[in-house]
Amino acid sequence: MKKLMIDLDDTICTDGYLKVLNEYFNTNYTYEDLDDYYVESLVPDDRLDEYLDYFYTINVYDYVDVVPNAIEVIEKLSKKYDVYICSAYVDRRRPKLSGVAATLKHNWIIDNLPFIDPKKIIFTGTKDVIACDIKIDDKYSNLKGYGDVKLLLDAYHNRNYDEEKLKERGIRRVKDWKEIEKILLD
Ligand SMILES: [Mg+2]
C-alpha cells in the first residue's frame, strides 16, 4: 500500500481558530480579511498575550467544522492506502503549551476518524522529514520533501502561488475532497 499523509487543520477540519477569535473580540472577521496563514495576525499586538492566555483555556476543536466530504473520502482512502494523519503542533509563542495543542488534536482525530489506527497519527514541526508517497495539505511549505503526488487543498492563504511554480514543484491544486477522491480513487 502506498503511504498517504494527510494534514489536519484546514484540510480535514476548519474554521475553529477564526471562530474562537471572533467570539473573544466580538468581531466578524472572515478569511477575506487575512493576508497571513495565521488568524492571530488579526489580533492587535498589545492584546496577543492576553488572547493566547485565553486560547489555551479552551478547546479550539469544540469550534471546528468538518471540511465537506473529508471524513467519508478519507475512510474510503484508508481501504486503498496506508493513511497517516500528520499535524504540526508547535506553537513557537508558547512552546511549553504545544503539548496541550497535540492532546486536543489527538483527541479530535480519535473521535472523528475512528478508522485511523492511533499509531498512524503523527505530530511534528517539520513535515518535510517524513517519507510518504502522497501528501495532502493546505499549506504550501508542508508539501516540500518526500512525495510523488502532492495535493494542495485550495485555501485563502495559498491562492497567490503561481500555478506554473506549483507545477514545477510537482504540486497540484485541488478545490475540494470530491476532486481528491477522483484523483486518488478513480
Ligand atoms: Mg493545514
Side-chain angles (χ1 to χ4, degrees):
M1 272 185 171
K2 287 191 170 173
K3 285 190 181 3
L4 166 55
M5 189 166 96
I6 306 174
D7 168 49
L8 176 63
D9 294 308
D10 293 316
T11 296
I12 303 174
C13 62
T14 191
D15 290 350
Y17 291 83
L18 191 59
K19 273 193 223 163
V20 171
L21 189 147
N22 274 328
E23 190 181 281
Y24 186 78
F25 289 104
N26 198 18
T27 48
N28 289 302
Y29 289 124
T30 70
Y31 293 111
E32 306 303 311
D33 299 309
L34 270 165
D35 44 18
D36 192 274
Y37 173 75
Y38 295 100
V39 298
E40 291 85 2
S41 64
L42 295 165
V43 177
D45 284 350
D46 62 342
R47 296 195 69 188
L48 185 60
D49 259 344
E50 161 206 330
Y51 179 64
L52 290 176
D53 287 346
Y54 167 73
F55 184 81
Y56 278 105
T57 66
I58 58 103
N59 179 357
V60 66
Y61 291 92
D62 288 339
Y63 293 76
V64 296
D65 295 318
V66 174
V67 174
N69 306 303
I71 291 178
E72 304 87 275
V73 174
I74 295 169
E75 185 165 15
K76 287 185 202 167
L77 287 167
S78 70
K79 298 190 171 91
K80 183 175 171 188
Y81 298 93
D82 189 15
V83 174
Y84 292 77
I85 308 298
C86 182
S87 185
Y89 78 109
V90 178
D91 186 339
R92 288 181 197 279
R93 303 157 306 190
R94 299 283 169 97
K96 280 195 173 176
L97 293 174
S98 297
V100 174
T103 301
L104 300 177
K105 287 168 184 276
H106 173 265
N107 291 345
W108 193 89
I109 295 166
I110 298 282
D111 288 342
N112 290 277
L113 301 162
F115 46 86
I116 297 291
D117 182 341
K119 286 183 173 177
K120 295 183 178 181
I121 301 171
I122 302 168
F123 295 118
T124 180
T126 48
K127 294 189 182 185
D128 56 324
V129 299
I130 297 162
C132 62
D133 302 293
I134 304 162
K135 277 179 182 166
I136 303 170
D137 208 299
D138 67 296
K139 194 174 183 194
Y140 172 78
S141 59
N142 284 340
L143 293 172
K144 282 189 291 186
Y146 298 94
D148 301 324
V149 176
K150 298 173 176 184
L151 304 179
L152 179 70
L153 192 58
D154 186 56
Y156 65 94
H157 57 79
N158 66 36
R159 296 217 171 111
N160 48 9
Y161 287 107
D162 175 71
E163 297 307 312
E164 280 307 305
K165 192 169 257 176
L166 292 182
K167 221 178 264 176
E168 264 169 39
R169 300 193 177 173
I171 296 170
R172 176 168 174 183
R173 184 187 296 277
V174 289
K175 67 176 189 310
D176 56 29
W177 275 95
K178 281 288 168 196
E179 190 178 352
I180 294 171
E181 181 177 20
K182 214 168 261 166
I183 293 168
L184 296 178
L185 287 172
D186 268 6

